[in-house]
Amino acid sequence: MADALTRLCALVDDLDADVDQTIDLADEIAASGDTALLPRLEAELDRSVGARNSYARELLGGVIAGIGGVGALPVLLRASAVDLGDDQDGLATEIVDLVHTDPARARALLEPLTRDGDPAVRDRAEWALRFTP
């Protein structure tokens, strides 16, 4: 799967890459459930956000959500808190789906983020908590 992740990272940075191929590869990696990929995926997500690549943030966020489950919420929330000028529909959906998957664990992960030093992270955490019962 590491080779597939290398290919995916190249595809999300290539404006001419085939979108369907990129999405299929992202889905394949997410379906693998290979948690050993999470550190690299998280680093790539951080790099993509720093490069202001909203497309990569959406795709990589989906892969991280698929592999990391509810435990990925803090990483996804921090990535979501950075305004890249996009609508974040895909990433927001991933976050809400994870919250619905295990509301109690989600609340435990999100509540500390409502006291984060970054006001954007606090706002996103408060937003996500609205989806818990």
Side-chain angles (χ1 to χ4, degrees):
M1 268 302 118
D3 289 341
L5 180 53
T6 298
R7 286 194 321 273
L8 179 62
C9 292
L11 289 171
V12 297
D13 286 337
D14 181 358
L15 296 176
D16 296 323
D18 181 271
V19 173
D20 291 330
Q21 178 187 8
T22 305
I23 291 171
D24 289 346
L25 185 56
D27 290 345
E28 176 186 329
I29 294 168
S32 77
D34 187 351
T35 58
L37 297 175
L38 284 172
R40 183 160 169 221
L41 280 162
E42 292 171 8
E44 288 294 331
L45 178 64
D46 285 344
R47 182 193 60 76
S48 296
V49 169
R52 307 198 52 78
N53 184 339
S54 59
Y55 175 64
R57 174 173 66 181
E58 293 279 321
L59 278 172
L60 295 172
V63 175
I64 290 168
I67 294 174
V70 176
L73 277 171
V75 168
L76 298 177
L77 225 19
R78 288 188 184 287
S80 176
V82 179
D83 183 3
L84 300 181
D86 61 327
D87 61 17
Q88 293 194 46
D89 283 349
L91 188 56
T93 299
E94 296 288 355
I95 291 168
V96 171
D97 287 349
L98 291 175
V99 168
H100 287 159
T101 299
D102 187 345
R105 183 158 181 231
R107 181 173 293 284
L109 292 167
L110 294 171
E111 283 182 344
L113 295 175
T114 64
R115 297 180 297 281
D116 193 87
D118 182 341
V121 171
R122 289 195 306 265
D123 289 346
R124 291 305 285 172
E126 289 168 6
W127 166 81
L129 279 168
R130 290 188 295 192
F131 297 99
T132 60

